[in-house]
Amino acid sequence: MAAQKKLIIGNWKMNLNVQEASTYLHKLEAAMKVHRDVTVVITPTMLALQPLSLQINRHKLKLAAQNFHWRDFGAITGEVSATQLRGLVTYALVGHSERRHMFGESTKDTREKVQAALRNHITPVLCIGETKAERTNEETNDVLRDQLVGGLANVTSEEVDQVVIAYEPVWAIGTGNNASPHDVEAAILTIRSQIRHLFGRDKAASVTVLYGGSITADSAADYLALRGVDGLLVGGASLKLHEFTSIIEKAHSAAE
Ligand code: 13P
């Protein structure tokens, strides 16, 4: 099978203020090499999206939002809509486990957000993954299927290529306990077979699927080499210049 273009998304979470984000972006653009076979995306704080959109070299990097509200506008104090993000970001995370678990974001919310992103020409990155207890109880496959079916319920087979799926086991996020390549491969297989069930064989092969959870420069290549893994969703390591540029290089090597 020919190697596919890789997607590397750095999720900065609630780190770096606007000034720090701008400085880091400047350093990242100076340090990173551009590869045609790797798309690199950064996901800064919502506050920094506007200033960074003016600064960013779009040939090198794309912007993503960490979250948004699924309504396009209205009396919803404190929220930002996909309509407001339109033109500013290329991607937006949906259903990150920190949103699901800290803010009670439901499967219905993820479904609405996937729709909102698509109608505003933003690529949703639907994050799915099981908790430690669900893995221990051998419920991983059921959880992945439920989160996929629920999140993608209103997506058409024409649209599914515009959706990215990120497998992020909850217990592997920010813990240093990354999932074994074997477990990741099994989960990705479950995800692609569910996509086949929903959208057919061609879409199962073509949809972009990422792994995320305690990725480092040292571990990145092991995941990028797995069958069915099209890239990585990187948290902590994306805030370390050397680590992140090294992960980009690993993705280039894996795509060659
Ligand atoms: P870490 O890489 O810090 O585990 O975070 C992963 C993640 O949540 C990316 O969205």
Side-chain angles (χ1 to χ4, degrees):
M1 196 171 71
Q4 236 186 314
K5 193 165 175 166
K6 300 290 182 192
L7 175 61
I8 302 294
I9 305 180
N11 178 7
W12 297 356
K13 308 192 178 183
M14 201 173 69
N15 294 295
L16 306 184
N17 65 25
V18 174
Q19 179 69 52
E20 290 163 343
S22 170
T23 304
Y24 184 68
L25 172 60
H26 185 74
K27 287 185 186 162
L28 178 59
E29 286 187 341
M32 68 182 279
K33 287 204 192 98
V34 178
H35 300 293
R36 288 163 67 99
D37 50 17
V38 185
T39 301
V40 186
V41 182
I42 54 166
T43 314
T45 167
M46 192 77 84
L47 272 178
L49 286 174
Q50 178 74 46
L52 295 198
S53 79
L54 302 174
Q55 171 185 344
I56 204 162
N57 178 343
R58 286 174 195 257
H59 296 297
K60 292 192 169 178
L61 292 158
K62 312 270 182 236
L63 282 173
Q66 296 178 17
N67 183 40
F68 57 97
H69 196 276
W70 53 268
R71 286 197 195 276
D72 287 340
F73 53 85
I76 307 174
T77 301
E79 291 293 325
V80 173
S81 72
T83 305
Q84 292 169 318
L85 291 167
R86 189 176 178 150
L88 214 52
V89 300
T90 312
Y91 297 84
L93 305 186
V94 172
H96 189 280
S97 81
E98 286 150 19
R99 303 285 330 159
R100 291 183 196 256
H101 295 281
M102 296 165 93
F103 299 96
E105 201 162 289
S106 68
T107 299
K108 176 179 175 293
D109 293 328
T110 66
R111 172 158 68 242
E112 300 281 12
K113 287 182 180 202
V114 166
Q115 290 302 305
L118 290 172
R119 75 174 168 268
N120 285 288
H121 305 286
I122 294 169
T123 300
V125 180
L126 178 64
C127 304
I128 61 173
E130 80 287 1
T131 62
K132 185 86 200 161
E134 288 162 345
R135 172 159 288 268
T136 307
N137 294 336
E138 300 185 353
E139 292 165 1
T140 299
N141 288 343
D142 290 338
V143 170
L144 296 180
R145 286 193 205 104
D146 285 352
Q147 291 181 349
L148 273 178
V149 170
L152 300 178
N154 298 328
V155 172
T156 67
S157 58
E158 285 74 42
E159 289 171 330
V160 70
D161 282 330
Q162 295 153 47
V163 177
V164 172
I165 310 294
Y167 171 54
E168 291 211 301
V170 179
W171 49 274
I173 295 177
T175 58
N177 301 322
N178 42 351
S180 73
H182 179 265
D183 287 344
V184 173
E185 200 160 33
I188 301 285
L189 207 62
T190 299
I191 290 168
R192 291 199 186 272
S193 69
Q194 187 60 45
I195 297 286
R196 187 180 63 221
H197 190 68
L198 294 170
F199 302 103
R201 186 174 294 274
D202 291 354
K203 301 298 175 181
S206 64
V207 72
T208 302
V209 184
L210 313 180
Y211 169 69
S214 295
I215 292 282
T216 61
D218 284 342
S219 66
D222 291 344
Y223 297 100
L224 288 162
L226 295 176
R227 205 157 51 98
V229 173
D230 301 313
L232 303 171
L233 180 48
V234 185
S238 71
L239 291 161
K240 298 178 188 147
L241 188 63
H242 184 69
E243 287 270 315
F244 196 53
T245 50
S246 163
I247 290 169
I248 295 167
E249 288 307 303
K250 300 271 163 66
H252 171 55
S253 304
E256 274 182 318

PDB file of all heavy atoms in Angstrom, residues 11 13 93 96-98 127 168 172-176 212-215 233-237, ligand 1:
ATOM      1  N   ASN A  11      -1.846  19.918  20.025  1.00  0.00           N
ATOM      2  CA  ASN A  11      -2.914  20.499  20.857  1.00  0.00           C
ATOM      3  C   ASN A  11      -2.268  21.160  22.074  1.00  0.00           C
ATOM      4  O   ASN A  11      -1.786  20.472  22.971  1.00  0.00           O
ATOM      5  CB  ASN A  11      -3.888  19.383  21.274  1.00  0.00           C
ATOM      6  CG  ASN A  11      -4.996  19.904  22.173  1.00  0.00           C
ATOM      7  OD1 ASN A  11      -5.133  21.110  22.388  1.00  0.00           O
ATOM      8  ND2 ASN A  11      -5.795  18.990  22.710  1.00  0.00           N
ATOM      9  N   LYS A  13      -3.702  22.907  24.312  1.00  0.00           N
ATOM     10  CA  LYS A  13      -4.634  22.938  25.452  1.00  0.00           C
ATOM     11  C   LYS A  13      -4.630  24.331  26.094  1.00  0.00           C
ATOM     12  O   LYS A  13      -4.510  25.325  25.396  1.00  0.00           O
ATOM     13  CB  LYS A  13      -4.298  21.808  26.439  1.00  0.00           C
ATOM     14  CG  LYS A  13      -4.212  20.445  25.720  1.00  0.00           C
ATOM     15  CD  LYS A  13      -4.161  19.265  26.623  1.00  0.00           C
ATOM     16  CE  LYS A  13      -4.118  17.982  25.806  1.00  0.00           C
ATOM     17  NZ  LYS A  13      -4.137  16.775  26.603  1.00  0.00           N
ATOM     18  N   LEU A  93     -11.145  20.575  16.940  1.00  0.00           N
ATOM     19  CA  LEU A  93     -11.333  19.345  17.714  1.00  0.00           C
ATOM     20  C   LEU A  93     -12.788  19.244  18.153  1.00  0.00           C
ATOM     21  O   LEU A  93     -13.412  20.251  18.482  1.00  0.00           O
ATOM     22  CB  LEU A  93     -10.436  19.340  18.956  1.00  0.00           C
ATOM     23  CG  LEU A  93      -8.935  19.547  18.763  1.00  0.00           C
ATOM     24  CD1 LEU A  93      -8.200  19.360  20.095  1.00  0.00           C
ATOM     25  CD2 LEU A  93      -8.371  18.588  17.711  1.00  0.00           C
ATOM     26  N   HIS A  96     -13.044  16.121  22.461  1.00  0.00           N
ATOM     27  CA  HIS A  96     -11.803  15.742  23.157  1.00  0.00           C
ATOM     28  C   HIS A  96     -12.180  15.183  24.528  1.00  0.00           C
ATOM     29  O   HIS A  96     -13.127  15.648  25.151  1.00  0.00           O
ATOM     30  CB  HIS A  96     -10.893  16.966  23.304  1.00  0.00           C
ATOM     31  CG  HIS A  96      -9.534  16.588  23.809  1.00  0.00           C
ATOM     32  ND1 HIS A  96      -9.295  16.341  25.137  1.00  0.00           N
ATOM     33  CD2 HIS A  96      -8.361  16.382  23.160  1.00  0.00           C
ATOM     34  CE1 HIS A  96      -8.019  16.008  25.284  1.00  0.00           C
ATOM     35  NE2 HIS A  96      -7.427  16.023  24.099  1.00  0.00           N
ATOM     36  N   SER A  97     -11.444  14.206  25.012  1.00  0.00           N
ATOM     37  CA  SER A  97     -11.850  13.544  26.261  1.00  0.00           C
ATOM     38  C   SER A  97     -11.909  14.536  27.418  1.00  0.00           C
ATOM     39  O   SER A  97     -12.706  14.356  28.343  1.00  0.00           O
ATOM     40  CB  SER A  97     -10.935  12.379  26.589  1.00  0.00           C
ATOM     41  OG  SER A  97      -9.780  12.835  27.200  1.00  0.00           O
ATOM     42  N   GLU A  98     -11.071  15.576  27.376  1.00  0.00           N
ATOM     43  CA  GLU A  98     -11.151  16.577  28.448  1.00  0.00           C
ATOM     44  C   GLU A  98     -12.478  17.333  28.387  1.00  0.00           C
ATOM     45  O   GLU A  98     -13.010  17.748  29.410  1.00  0.00           O
ATOM     46  CB  GLU A  98      -9.935  17.514  28.370  1.00  0.00           C
ATOM     47  CG  GLU A  98      -8.681  16.800  28.874  1.00  0.00           C
ATOM     48  CD  GLU A  98      -7.386  17.252  28.235  1.00  0.00           C
ATOM     49  OE1 GLU A  98      -7.340  18.348  27.647  1.00  0.00           O
ATOM     50  OE2 GLU A  98      -6.402  16.477  28.312  1.00  0.00           O
ATOM     51  N   CYS A 127     -12.676  13.197  18.360  1.00  0.00           N
ATOM     52  CA  CYS A 127     -11.815  12.436  19.268  1.00  0.00           C
ATOM     53  C   CYS A 127     -12.647  11.387  19.991  1.00  0.00           C
ATOM     54  O   CYS A 127     -13.696  11.706  20.558  1.00  0.00           O
ATOM     55  CB  CYS A 127     -11.182  13.364  20.305  1.00  0.00           C
ATOM     56  SG  CYS A 127     -10.263  14.730  19.573  1.00  0.00           S
ATOM     57  N   GLU A 168      -7.964   8.502  20.908  1.00  0.00           N
ATOM     58  CA  GLU A 168      -7.221   8.962  22.077  1.00  0.00           C
ATOM     59  C   GLU A 168      -7.738   8.234  23.316  1.00  0.00           C
ATOM     60  O   GLU A 168      -8.715   8.690  23.945  1.00  0.00           O
ATOM     61  CB  GLU A 168      -7.410  10.470  22.274  1.00  0.00           C
ATOM     62  CG  GLU A 168      -6.756  11.317  21.216  1.00  0.00           C
ATOM     63  CD  GLU A 168      -6.314  12.670  21.785  1.00  0.00           C
ATOM     64  OE1 GLU A 168      -7.150  13.414  22.294  1.00  0.00           O
ATOM     65  OE2 GLU A 168      -5.124  12.949  21.731  1.00  0.00           O
ATOM     66  N   ALA A 172      -4.447   7.244  28.420  1.00  0.00           N
ATOM     67  CA  ALA A 172      -3.108   7.490  27.854  1.00  0.00           C
ATOM     68  C   ALA A 172      -2.816   8.982  27.713  1.00  0.00           C
ATOM     69  O   ALA A 172      -1.706   9.365  27.352  1.00  0.00           O
ATOM     70  CB  ALA A 172      -2.998   6.815  26.482  1.00  0.00           C
ATOM     71  N   ILE A 173      -3.812   9.820  28.002  1.00  0.00           N
ATOM     72  CA  ILE A 173      -3.643  11.260  27.780  1.00  0.00           C
ATOM     73  C   ILE A 173      -2.969  11.915  28.976  1.00  0.00           C
ATOM     74  O   ILE A 173      -3.480  11.856  30.095  1.00  0.00           O
ATOM     75  CB  ILE A 173      -5.010  11.928  27.498  1.00  0.00           C
ATOM     76  CG1 ILE A 173      -5.575  11.392  26.181  1.00  0.00           C
ATOM     77  CG2 ILE A 173      -4.882  13.442  27.455  1.00  0.00           C
ATOM     78  CD1 ILE A 173      -6.948  11.919  25.838  1.00  0.00           C
ATOM     79  N   GLY A 174      -1.816  12.520  28.709  1.00  0.00           N
ATOM     80  CA  GLY A 174      -1.120  13.282  29.749  1.00  0.00           C
ATOM     81  C   GLY A 174      -0.591  12.439  30.891  1.00  0.00           C
ATOM     82  O   GLY A 174      -0.260  12.962  31.949  1.00  0.00           O
ATOM     83  N   THR A 175      -0.503  11.140  30.695  1.00  0.00           N
ATOM     84  CA  THR A 175      -0.102  10.251  31.790  1.00  0.00           C
ATOM     85  C   THR A 175       1.289   9.650  31.582  1.00  0.00           C
ATOM     86  O   THR A 175       1.862   9.096  32.516  1.00  0.00           O
ATOM     87  CB  THR A 175      -1.092   9.066  31.903  1.00  0.00           C
ATOM     88  OG1 THR A 175      -1.108   8.377  30.637  1.00  0.00           O
ATOM     89  CG2 THR A 175      -2.487   9.545  32.243  1.00  0.00           C
ATOM     90  N   GLY A 176       1.797   9.729  30.366  1.00  0.00           N
ATOM     91  CA  GLY A 176       3.055   9.037  30.069  1.00  0.00           C
ATOM     92  C   GLY A 176       2.819   7.557  29.771  1.00  0.00           C
ATOM     93  O   GLY A 176       3.730   6.850  29.350  1.00  0.00           O
ATOM     94  N   GLY A 212      -3.530   9.528  19.429  1.00  0.00           N
ATOM     95  CA  GLY A 212      -3.034  10.513  20.383  1.00  0.00           C
ATOM     96  C   GLY A 212      -3.015   9.953  21.786  1.00  0.00           C
ATOM     97  O   GLY A 212      -3.851   9.114  22.149  1.00  0.00           O
ATOM     98  N   GLY A 213      -2.045  10.414  22.572  1.00  0.00           N
ATOM     99  CA  GLY A 213      -1.929   9.977  23.963  1.00  0.00           C
ATOM    100  C   GLY A 213      -0.481   9.766  24.332  1.00  0.00           C
ATOM    101  O   GLY A 213       0.117   8.760  23.943  1.00  0.00           O
ATOM    102  N   SER A 214       0.104  10.762  25.044  1.00  0.00           N
ATOM    103  CA  SER A 214       1.486  10.661  25.546  1.00  0.00           C
ATOM    104  C   SER A 214       2.517  10.376  24.454  1.00  0.00           C
ATOM    105  O   SER A 214       3.488   9.654  24.692  1.00  0.00           O
ATOM    106  CB  SER A 214       1.576   9.617  26.663  1.00  0.00           C
ATOM    107  OG  SER A 214       0.831  10.040  27.781  1.00  0.00           O
ATOM    108  N   ILE A 215       2.285  10.944  23.278  1.00  0.00           N
ATOM    109  CA  ILE A 215       3.265  10.787  22.186  1.00  0.00           C
ATOM    110  C   ILE A 215       4.504  11.616  22.507  1.00  0.00           C
ATOM    111  O   ILE A 215       4.405  12.749  22.953  1.00  0.00           O
ATOM    112  CB  ILE A 215       2.670  11.318  20.855  1.00  0.00           C
ATOM    113  CG1 ILE A 215       1.528  10.440  20.392  1.00  0.00           C
ATOM    114  CG2 ILE A 215       3.738  11.467  19.786  1.00  0.00           C
ATOM    115  CD1 ILE A 215       1.927   9.168  19.741  1.00  0.00           C
ATOM    116  N   LEU A 233      -2.098  13.072  17.108  1.00  0.00           N
ATOM    117  CA  LEU A 233      -2.626  14.226  17.846  1.00  0.00           C
ATOM    118  C   LEU A 233      -1.770  14.327  19.110  1.00  0.00           C
ATOM    119  O   LEU A 233      -1.823  13.461  19.979  1.00  0.00           O
ATOM    120  CB  LEU A 233      -4.102  14.005  18.169  1.00  0.00           C
ATOM    121  CG  LEU A 233      -4.852  15.084  18.939  1.00  0.00           C
ATOM    122  CD1 LEU A 233      -4.624  16.470  18.364  1.00  0.00           C
ATOM    123  CD2 LEU A 233      -6.350  14.787  18.938  1.00  0.00           C
ATOM    124  N   VAL A 234      -0.949  15.367  19.161  1.00  0.00           N
ATOM    125  CA  VAL A 234       0.117  15.468  20.163  1.00  0.00           C
ATOM    126  C   VAL A 234      -0.226  16.545  21.177  1.00  0.00           C
ATOM    127  O   VAL A 234      -0.525  17.682  20.792  1.00  0.00           O
ATOM    128  CB  VAL A 234       1.448  15.832  19.463  1.00  0.00           C
ATOM    129  CG1 VAL A 234       2.598  15.829  20.468  1.00  0.00           C
ATOM    130  CG2 VAL A 234       1.736  14.896  18.294  1.00  0.00           C
ATOM    131  N   GLY A 235      -0.183  16.221  22.457  1.00  0.00           N
ATOM    132  CA  GLY A 235      -0.440  17.224  23.495  1.00  0.00           C
ATOM    133  C   GLY A 235       0.858  17.824  23.998  1.00  0.00           C
ATOM    134  O   GLY A 235       1.471  18.665  23.342  1.00  0.00           O
ATOM    135  N   GLY A 236       1.305  17.361  25.162  1.00  0.00           N
ATOM    136  CA  GLY A 236       2.469  17.943  25.845  1.00  0.00           C
ATOM    137  C   GLY A 236       3.690  18.129  24.954  1.00  0.00           C
ATOM    138  O   GLY A 236       4.351  19.177  25.013  1.00  0.00           O
ATOM    139  N   ALA A 237       3.999  17.144  24.130  1.00  0.00           N
ATOM    140  CA  ALA A 237       5.213  17.223  23.308  1.00  0.00           C
ATOM    141  C   ALA A 237       5.122  18.312  22.243  1.00  0.00           C
ATOM    142  O   ALA A 237       6.153  18.761  21.721  1.00  0.00           O
ATOM    143  CB  ALA A 237       5.495  15.866  22.656  1.00  0.00           C
TER     144      ALA A 237
HETATM  145  P1  13P B   1      -0.668  14.233  25.636  1.00  0.00           P
HETATM  146  O1  13P B   1       0.146  14.045  24.388  1.00  0.00           O
HETATM  147  O2  13P B   1      -0.137  15.326  26.513  1.00  0.00           O
HETATM  148  O3  13P B   1      -0.896  12.931  26.338  1.00  0.00           O
HETATM  149  O4  13P B   1      -2.111  14.751  25.190  1.00  0.00           O
HETATM  150  C1  13P B   1      -2.781  14.086  24.178  1.00  0.00           C
HETATM  151  C2  13P B   1      -3.977  14.860  23.811  1.00  0.00           C
HETATM  152  O5  13P B   1      -4.909  14.970  24.571  1.00  0.00           O
HETATM  153  C3  13P B   1      -3.982  15.539  22.517  1.00  0.00           C
HETATM  154  O6  13P B   1      -5.233  16.046  22.230  1.00  0.00           O
END
